[in-house]
Amino acid sequence: MHATDALSEARRLMTVCNSCRYCEGLCAVFPAMEMRRTFPDGDLNYLANLCHGCGACYIDCQFAPPHEFNVNVPKVLAQVRADSYAEYAWPGMFRGLFRRNGAVLALIAAASVTIFTIAFFIAAGPGAFFSTRMGSGAFYWIMSHNTMAFLFGGVFALACAALAMAQRNFNRDAGSGPVEQGAGRPYLEATEDAARLSYLDGGGAGCYGAEGQQDNRRFFHHLTFYGFLLCFASTSVATL
Ligand code: SF4
Ligand code: SF4
């Protein structure tokens, strides 16, 4: 018995795939699947989060629709993955909001911009909005550097705490036994795989995309990720 219809469908698909195993070289999902005979909810959430939705196993599958087995692994794992984000969200009382995160984020963003604008208008005066200021310190005329660092540093710390707590919830559910037995080694391997995007190589043939199998997507993912990392490092050094 599974918690949702998507999890029940994911278990059915993993049982079919575990008998077939044609896709075992494509990504991290299938080798992890092959280590299991049964699929409790926590393991299905884990497998869904190993999938990056490339679609290769759908294109390759001889049991995809219109076959009666109706195997569509990317679609079902995407649904399970989206549900898992809400399931493991922290604080737990915000799970309901997480399910409607598009509308909630839009409202919070609009409210934040309004509140910040009114607060700056009151604190700095209309001149801050309708005049030009040049020279040293002009950038911080409306909001001082320390206020900015304190405010957004706090938001960053809260985001890190929420991610860490969500990871803890996920580990509990997925069963962290093998991780504990490995004394942290699986975390190192996972970090290395993520840093190298090992599983975006499509099993060696190249990352699967609309244009066929090339490594463009992997290449641009790397540029984006390491670009953000360098930006973060530069901002941190400048702040210090
Ligand atoms: S997705 Fe299809 S081809 Fe691939 S392992 Fe599953 S059943 Fe086999
Ligand atoms: S969609 Fe891609 S990443 Fe997801 S299970 Fe299929 S081959 Fe693996």
Side-chain angles (χ1 to χ4, degrees):
M1 191 64 188
H2 295 279
T4 64
D5 290 345
L7 284 163
S8 300
E9 176 64 359
R11 196 250 308 135
R12 184 185 76 84
L13 296 190
M14 289 298 100
T15 307
V16 173
C17 292
N18 220 0
S19 307
C20 166
R21 300 193 172 185
Y22 180 74
C23 297
E24 64 184 358
L26 287 182
C27 70
V29 173
F30 296 96
M33 173 199 75
E34 289 172 7
M35 297 169 83
R36 293 161 168 79
R37 297 274 175 95
T38 57
F39 298 97
D41 285 359
D43 284 17
L44 289 168
N45 284 328
Y46 169 65
L47 294 173
N49 278 278
L50 289 178
C51 169
H52 52 271
C54 69
C57 62
Y58 179 73
I59 301 294
D60 288 354
C61 184
Q62 59 270 42
F63 302 121
H67 191 280
E68 60 187 321
F69 283 6
N70 192 28
V71 172
N72 189 338
V73 174
K75 180 180 174 190
V76 174
L77 291 191
Q79 178 64 55
V80 171
R81 195 161 58 246
D83 291 345
S84 77
Y85 296 157
E87 176 65 23
Y88 300 123
W90 179 88
M93 63 181 175
F94 290 141
R95 279 177 195 149
L97 293 182
F98 193 94
R99 291 182 203 283
R100 300 188 297 280
N101 69 73
V104 172
L105 272 181
L107 284 174
I108 291 177
S112 302
V113 170
T114 307
I115 291 168
F116 268 88
T117 307
I118 293 172
F120 288 143
F121 202 84
I122 293 170
F129 281 73
F130 302 114
S131 61
T132 306
R133 177 169 280 218
M134 308 292 283
S136 153
F139 185 78
Y140 298 111
W141 188 23
I142 291 184
M143 183 189 273
S144 73
H145 171 266
N146 286 349
T147 309
M148 198 181 288
F150 179 76
L151 203 60
F152 295 108
V155 172
F156 180 71
L158 187 63
C160 289
L163 284 172
M165 294 303 285
Q167 173 78 45
R168 186 202 61 163
N169 294 343
F170 175 77
N171 280 358
R172 275 183 184 162
D173 207 18
S176 55
V179 172
E180 284 162 4
Q181 286 161 22
R185 189 171 169 76
Y187 281 115
L188 286 178
E189 288 174 0
T191 304
E192 186 187 337
D193 284 338
R196 295 173 56 228
L197 291 178
S198 307
Y199 289 103
L200 252 66
D201 72 352
C207 181
Y208 200 88
E211 67 286 351
Q213 287 189 288
Q214 299 176 0
D215 267 342
N216 288 351
R217 188 152 60 163
R218 190 182 189 197
F219 176 70
F220 286 111
H221 266 76
H222 267 127
L223 287 187
T224 306
F225 174 71
Y226 287 106
F228 272 110
L229 215 58
L230 285 173
C231 185
F232 178 65
S234 142
T235 308
S236 303
V237 168
T239 300
L240 290 175

